[in-house]
Amino acid sequence: MSILVYAEHDNASLKPVTLNVVAAAKAIAEKAGGEIHVLVAGSGCGAAAEEAAKIEGVAKVLKADSAEYEAKLAENVAPLLVKLAEGYDYLLAPTTTGGRNVLPRAAALLDVQGISDISGVEDADTFVRPIYAGNALATVQSSDAKKLITVRGTAFDAVAAEGGSATVEEVGAEGDAGLSSFVGQELTKSERPELTSARVIVSGGRGMQSGENFAMLERIADKLGAAVGASRAAVDAGFVPNDYQVGQTGKVVAPELYIAVGISGAIQHLAGMKDSKVIVAINKDEEAPMFQVADYGLVADLFQAVPELEAELDKG
Amino acid sequence: MKVLVAVKRVIDAYVKVRVKSDGSGVETQNVKMSMNPFCEIAVEEAVRLKEAGVATEIVAVSCGPQQSQETIRTALAMGADRGILVQSDEALEPLGIAKLLKAVVDKEQPELVLLGKQAVDNDFGQTGQMLSALLGWSQATYASKIEKADGELTVTREIDGGLETVKVKLPAIVTADLRLNEPRYASLPNIMKAKKKPIDALTPDELGVDVAPRLSVLKVAEPPARQAGVKVGSVAELVDKLKNEAKVI
């Protein structure tokens, strides 16, 4: 009963969420037994594979290093997963746009119903997953022989990035399916931590009124070592790029501290952040639903409160 | 180019769902049902492709109970030409739906299938990718922009780090993300017209598809409730609480 984890990486390094997926794999291994292996599929991905070999609890790393995996197109990666699945009972990937794109494609080719976004492991074949934007938790039991699963990273505490000494084994590539090609990417460049792994997040909503005003939140974020997020309303209004979005259809986060500024708190937004340890809401509308989940609420005009907050943090 | 668009009937996204007290699921009696918001975006995109002279015919397909006809009617009122209902009273999973849609695609031979990226009831987000796999077609998920050139589509995708552009060969599967477009409201004349548009009815048996579920739902529970906290009177008090009470900064 072995488990294969599909690593998220950019060839040079692993994305931190891989450590959370390995944690979910450990939880499954406690019920079902078996080794945990990690697949690093990419192009020139040796460094990422070496990093994967150091993860605590990983017995083996499979490296599929070939041009057709450079952009991780689902049409090319899914056949590789299908071939490797012969030797595994579980295939795990993070619930990221990368994992969610490829895993269902592989599942259909294997005639398996994938299990999306698990937040808990009950038994070898039984998992908990949020449904209806996290307003309900379903416990589901799979009757498929193989389980293909995406993992909600924030629901599993990351394993240590160091301490393991897995072997790295090369696996052959499956060729280019010739169905699609990569044109380009516009990635948001930021020195701040990634939203999904940040310890603190400062998020802005429609109340911010403009993209320029997000600079206020960025200054707060930099004082706290925080990431900057946003509600759908702020993204739709064009204040910030799409990858800032926290919510049911954006990113799901669970930081130590989530500061929601000018966010009313639609259920779709709450779905993405209500597992945060401490929530702060700053909003001038005291009826805003965000106050119902906030540990600390401040009813105030954000254009006064945020500069005050910055000054207060400067006091040290 | 013939376009097929898949639509799903779900509990309206603005309804607060309630878990049944016996833990068997969520309450659906006397609850407002609507088209899944991402399916609406997919329908809107199909209609815009037709208005731009790119799409020739739009077929709206739904797999689900009899009432899914209403969802198809909504798609017809938005501008789809005709509908197909694959009726099943069983709870369908993405794999089963993908198999049903594949059977419909085999009959209808569209060049493009548009779907929502996920349904907001079960939040699986798998159907489009699965359909693409079963057909052996290309896939572009989380689309925020679609452009057609010779025999292929250029699709901008919303990914975790920003935006990505891919080219996919036709025939293709595209799943719609939030910012692909803003769906229109159907006008009253179009709602009336939609009543006359045909909807064919099929069953999984007629399509030769086994839709038996692979996952059994053992329990549906409320998530642990979050207690509302306290209101603070000033920024200074807030910072003090975060430092000394919550100890997070």
Side-chain angles (χ1 to χ4, degrees):
Chain A
M1 299 289 266
S2 302
I3 303 166
L4 183 62
V5 170
Y6 175 68
E8 185 116 332
H9 65 91
D10 62 4
N11 292 314
S13 64
L14 289 179
K15 299 283 178 194
V17 71
T18 304
L19 300 174
N20 305 86
V21 183
V22 171
K26 276 180 93 171
I28 291 171
E30 278 170 24
K31 307 281 185 187
E35 290 188 349
I36 299 169
H37 299 175
V38 173
L39 168 65
V40 178
S43 179
C45 56
E50 289 304 324
E51 207 183 322
K54 295 194 191 106
I55 300 174
E56 173 206 343
V58 173
K60 195 201 280 183
V61 173
L62 306 182
K63 182 175 74 160
D65 196 336
S66 190
E68 66 266 35
Y69 303 132
E70 166 94 54
K72 309 190 183 61
L73 296 164
E75 296 90 328
N76 291 347
V77 175
L80 175 69
L81 292 178
V82 169
K83 191 186 79 171
L84 295 174
E86 281 172 26
Y88 294 92
D89 303 290
Y90 298 87
L91 255 172
L92 267 58
T95 311
T96 53
T97 51
R100 289 187 297 164
N101 187 41
V102 68
L103 209 80
R105 191 173 178 101
L109 295 172
L110 291 163
D111 195 33
V112 168
Q113 176 57 61
I115 309 166
S116 301
D117 203 24
I118 65 162
S119 60
V121 176
E122 296 278 291
D123 208 341
D125 60 357
T126 307
F127 308 93
V128 179
R129 54 182 302 270
I131 56 174
Y132 291 95
N135 285 300
L137 296 173
T139 304
V140 297
Q141 184 175 34
S142 165
S143 61
D144 284 313
K146 289 186 197 299
K147 324 284 186 224
L148 274 73
I149 296 168
T150 58
V151 174
R152 174 170 288 212
T154 54
F156 296 89
D157 290 333
V159 299
E162 304 277 339
S165 54
T167 54
V168 178
E169 188 180 301
E170 304 250 359
V171 292
E174 290 293 288
D176 190 332
L179 292 170
S180 57
S181 57
F182 174 79
V183 178
Q185 275 183 342
E186 284 173 52
L187 299 184
T188 305
K189 289 192 183 66
S190 174
E191 299 296 309
R192 298 187 189 96
E194 247 187 292
L195 261 179
T196 51
S197 54
R199 198 187 70 81
V200 179
I201 295 173
V202 183
S203 250
R206 199 198 307 269
M208 295 305 296
Q209 295 182 7
S210 75
E212 290 74 52
N213 289 336
F214 265 75
M216 296 194 306
L217 300 189
E218 287 165 1
R219 288 197 296 271
I220 303 280
D222 290 342
K223 293 189 196 306
L224 296 171
V228 177
S231 69
R232 177 187 169 184
V235 177
D236 281 354
F239 299 169
V240 287
N242 64 285
D243 51 292
Y244 280 50
Q245 186 176 327
V246 171
Q248 179 186 21
T249 64
K251 293 194 173 86
V252 175
V253 300
E256 296 275 304
L257 173 61
Y258 188 92
I259 304 177
V261 182
I263 299 179
S264 63
I267 47 175
Q268 289 81 5
H269 185 76
L270 300 183
M273 46 64 72
K274 67 184 165 59
D275 293 329
S276 306
K277 195 162 156 252
V278 175
I279 297 173
V280 171
I282 300 176
N283 205 308
K284 66 180 173 192
D285 173 13
E286 62 180 313
E287 301 298 319
M290 186 59 80
F291 286 121
Q292 289 165 20
V293 299
D295 299 283
Y296 303 108
L298 177 64
V299 180
D301 182 347
L302 70 91
F303 293 101
Q304 282 174 8
V306 174
E308 268 186 57
L309 178 58
E310 191 185 346
E312 197 67 34
L313 292 172
D314 277 339
K315 287 185 195 164
Chain B
M1 176 169 78
K2 183 169 172 179
V3 178
L4 201 112
V5 53
V7 295
K8 186 176 187 185
R9 179 177 182 266
V10 299
I11 293 181
D12 188 276
Y14 294 97
V15 169
K16 170 99 178 80
V17 300
R18 278 178 223 291
V19 173
K20 285 188 193 167
S21 51
D22 65 358
S24 64
V26 303
E27 197 56 70
T28 52
Q29 292 285 319
N30 302 317
V31 169
K32 186 184 178 204
M33 306 294 284
S34 296
M35 186 189 293
N36 175 45
F38 290 100
C39 302
E40 273 188 321
I41 297 171
V43 174
E44 175 65 32
E45 194 64 16
V47 175
R48 288 188 191 192
L49 287 172
K50 192 172 175 197
E51 287 168 346
V54 176
T56 49
E57 189 192 16
I58 304 167
V59 183
V61 185
S62 190
C63 306
Q66 176 62 32
Q67 298 93 314
S68 301
Q69 243 192 23
E70 296 160 19
T71 313
I72 295 174
R73 287 277 171 223
T74 306
L76 298 176
M78 288 173 73
D81 296 294
R82 61 189 173 87
I84 297 173
L85 170 64
V86 184
Q87 198 190 325
S88 167
D89 292 324
E90 263 202 81
L92 298 172
E93 292 173 348
L95 182 63
I97 296 173
K99 288 177 178 177
L100 293 172
L101 291 175
K102 177 183 184 294
V104 173
V105 167
D106 288 344
K107 283 165 77 103
E108 293 284 339
Q109 300 284 317
E111 258 192 288
L112 171 65
V113 183
L114 284 165
L115 305 92
K117 73 162 179 176
Q118 80 191 72
V120 298
D121 51 1
N122 279 315
D123 286 330
F124 272 113
Q126 299 190 21
T127 306
Q129 297 90 308
M130 291 190 137
L131 175 60
S132 180
L134 297 177
L135 289 164
W137 289 9
S138 60
Q139 76 180 46
T141 48
Y142 323 130
S144 65
K145 191 174 168 199
I146 303 173
E147 286 174 313
K148 183 172 183 275
D150 281 347
E152 60 182 21
L153 300 175
T154 301
V155 181
T156 304
R157 307 177 55 232
E158 295 200 1
I159 59 169
D160 287 336
L163 297 172
E164 175 177 292
T165 306
V166 293
K167 281 193 172 156
V168 294
K169 284 193 181 149
L170 289 168
I173 302 289
V174 176
T175 74
D177 212 322
L178 282 173
R179 280 161 285 271
L180 183 58
N181 58 51
E182 266 190 61
R184 69 194 65 194
Y185 290 101
S187 66
L188 190 59
N190 285 341
I191 293 170
M192 299 310 286
K193 259 193 261 175
K195 292 187 175 167
K196 298 205 180 75
K197 293 181 180 175
I199 298 180
D200 288 338
L202 292 165
T203 64
D205 277 350
E206 285 166 354
L207 292 169
V209 175
D210 173 11
V211 292
R214 308 293 182 82
L215 302 177
S216 44
V217 178
L218 303 184
K219 187 175 73 178
V220 174
E222 296 258 9
R226 220 189 150 94
Q227 296 300 318
V230 296
K231 292 260 167 63
V232 294
S234 69
V235 170
E237 188 188 345
L238 173 65
V239 171
D240 176 64
K241 295 249 190 218
L242 290 177
K243 276 187 179 153
N244 301 316
E245 193 174 272
K247 297 188 170 63
V248 284
I249 60 172

